[in-house]
Amino acid sequence: MKSLKAQHSFLAEAHQQLEIIEHGQSGDFALVPFQQKLEQSGLYPLTPTQVEIFQVNIGKMCNQTCRHCHVDAGPDRNEIMTRETMQQCINVLQKNPQLKVVDLTGGAPEMNPNFRWFVEALKKLHKQVIVRCNLTIILANKKYYDLPEFYKMHDIEVVSSLPFYTQDRTDRQRGNGVFDDSIKALQMLNKVGYGMEGTGLILNLVYNPAGAFLPPSQLSLQKEYKLSLIRQYGIEFNNLFAITNLPISRFLDYLLQSGNYESYMEKLVNAYNPVAAANVMCRNTISIGWDGYLYDCDFNQMLELKLSGESKHIKDFDIAALNKRNIIIGQHCYGCTAGAGSSCGGSVT
Amino acid sequence: MNNQYYNPEDLKKFGNISDFQKNLGEKFFAYYGEVFKDSELSAREKSLIALAVAHAVQCPYCIDAYSSDAFEKGWSEGQMMEAVHVACAIRGGASLVHGVQMMNKVKEIAM
């Protein structure tokens, strides 16, 4: 499977996605504007609580081409962060101790040739570093086989996608063979202590619905995952994050192709939860793109909705200005406020 | 009047049942919500039971709702179809077991 960009799909263009998200495919699909919902909840304009999490997307290159990917990542994407931009990130983190957590994402962040250098530099600043590892990268090439050891050496928190504890649902979303490789990679992570009691090495898993529906209760699902993975494969992990798919990029493509777009959006709107809206991740996170531009979240990044205000690029990073900004919202934001809410750390209520 | 008895859009109006009888409607939905909570049985197990019952009572609204709900809660297609077969077996068995009554009657009147 190729990325939408390599397929020359119209959905590879952010403005085309935004047009559909705001007005539907026919142009006259009208839902309650997200802004109106926020106004009713007393949350508009949406502003940060305080920026604490520095999420860096270090590239769109990935060894997988998942059907739900909002980044449109894949082996054919070559947009990756340069060492110079990484150094600018390090400079910002050094100057801003309130940015305690650095969350590295992609694509497969490990495919960036400067990934290990960047991680080591971040740890020298004593930051809590999270790596969003797709698991299969560990087995993709022998140069990655030692990643579990590398993560352990630097006390990295690993967050890994495993959309389900059965093969069929996982492979449907992430590609044939992904489940088996993910299980092997999880066993390798367990072997060095990740997810094991008493080691302090954190291994969290991510659930994404494999279709046009919302995640079930995170806690119930975590019980099912734990029971199934330990029984069948002897795998242990810490927490499960249940994440809602947002109607962006390849998941938007899936929704349109399967005829589920309008009903999915209605489902998100009907499930709007004001408590979740108050806790959305963009209120304490700043997202940095591979080219150094700043965004409210990884989703706004993929929709190319650059920050409002003067501080738009890592070279102009100004924490005081960022804490005072208005967060850019759109109809896609319903994905983070539906049901129990959704963030990179799972449900928010 | 609608031109069909079952309209998928009507499922969304289920909550409006209380419009004509507020007290009983509200009591029903409070009870319904309580029934489907995690308890001695998990909400996930209850969803699969509901799917089977929906087929037994042949309620298209319930089949729609609990096909989605059971799949969302992680039941596989195979497990969901087995639940439907359980409903089918009980319905079929319920008819067939009355065959004993037929046999009894025939034996009573036959030479």
Side-chain angles (χ1 to χ4, degrees), chain A residues 54 56 81 85-93 118 288 314:
Chain A
F54 191 85
V56 196
M81 186 174 274
T85 308
M86 286 177 175
Q87 186 60 57
Q88 288 174 325
C89 291
I90 292 163
N91 297 345
V92 162
L93 288 162
F118 192 36
I288 297 92
I314 192 70

Side-chain angles (χ1 to χ4, degrees), chain A residues 21 246-248 265 299-300 303 305 329-336:
Chain A
I21 292 165
L246 263 69
I248 294 172
M265 289 304 291
F299 301 114
N300 277 8
L303 292 170
L305 297 169
I329 54 161
Q331 296 297 79
H332 60 290
C333 300
Y334 277 117
C336 289

Side-chain angles (χ1 to χ4, degrees), chain A residues 212-213 260 263 266-267, chain B residues 4 6-14 32 47-48 50-73 80 84:
Chain A
F213 53 91
N260 279 305
S263 61
E266 282 171 358
K267 202 176 282 188
Chain B
Q4 54 190 12
Y6 288 118
N7 180 352
E9 289 300 306
D10 283 349
L11 179 56
K12 294 174 192 164
K13 301 176 193 162
F14 190 21
Y32 192 99
S47 180
L48 194 66
L51 179 72
V53 175
H55 282 80
V57 299
Q58 291 175 301
C59 167
Y61 300 118
C62 312
I63 291 170
D64 248 22
Y66 285 97
S67 296
S68 301
D69 191 67
F71 194 73
E72 286 174 22
K73 287 188 164 61
M80 288 164 66
V84 172

Side-chain angles (χ1 to χ4, degrees), chain A residues 154-289:
Chain A
H154 297 289
D155 191 25
I156 303 300
E157 190 175 317
V158 177
V159 177
S160 290
S161 285
L162 187 71
F164 211 58
Y165 51 79
T166 59
Q167 185 183 347
D168 65 330
R169 277 206 203 186
T170 300
D171 286 0
R172 262 189 253 178
Q173 184 184 93
R174 296 175 81 77
N176 288 338
V178 166
F179 183 77
D180 286 346
D181 282 351
S182 299
I183 292 298
K184 284 178 203 154
L186 285 170
Q187 287 165 337
M188 288 166 77
L189 286 163
N190 274 176
K191 200 172 171 187
V192 301
Y194 270 98
M196 309 301 282
E197 205 178 331
T199 62
L201 296 169
I202 304 295
L203 170 62
N204 294 324
L205 298 184
V206 171
Y207 161 89
N208 289 98
F213 53 91
L214 302 183
S217 147
Q218 183 170 278
L219 202 59
S220 305
L221 199 59
Q222 179 175 291
K223 280 185 202 159
E224 294 292 329
Y225 263 69
K226 290 214 171 206
L227 204 63
S228 180
L229 290 177
I230 192 77
R231 264 192 199 158
Q232 294 191 60
Y233 309 104
I235 289 170
E236 296 187 51
F237 67 96
N238 297 94
N239 296 302
L240 181 76
F241 300 155
I243 299 186
T244 304
N245 292 315
L246 263 69
I248 294 172
S249 194
R250 289 215 285 270
F251 189 66
L252 176 60
D253 183 51
Y254 156 76
L255 290 174
L256 295 172
Q257 302 270 358
S258 63
N260 279 305
Y261 175 71
E262 293 191 356
S263 61
Y264 186 73
M265 289 304 291
E266 282 171 358
K267 202 176 282 188
L268 293 182
V269 175
N270 292 338
Y272 174 81
N273 177 355
V275 179
N279 295 332
V280 282
M281 64 178 173
C282 51
R283 302 192 80 186
N284 71 348
T285 303
I286 201 80
S287 163
I288 297 92

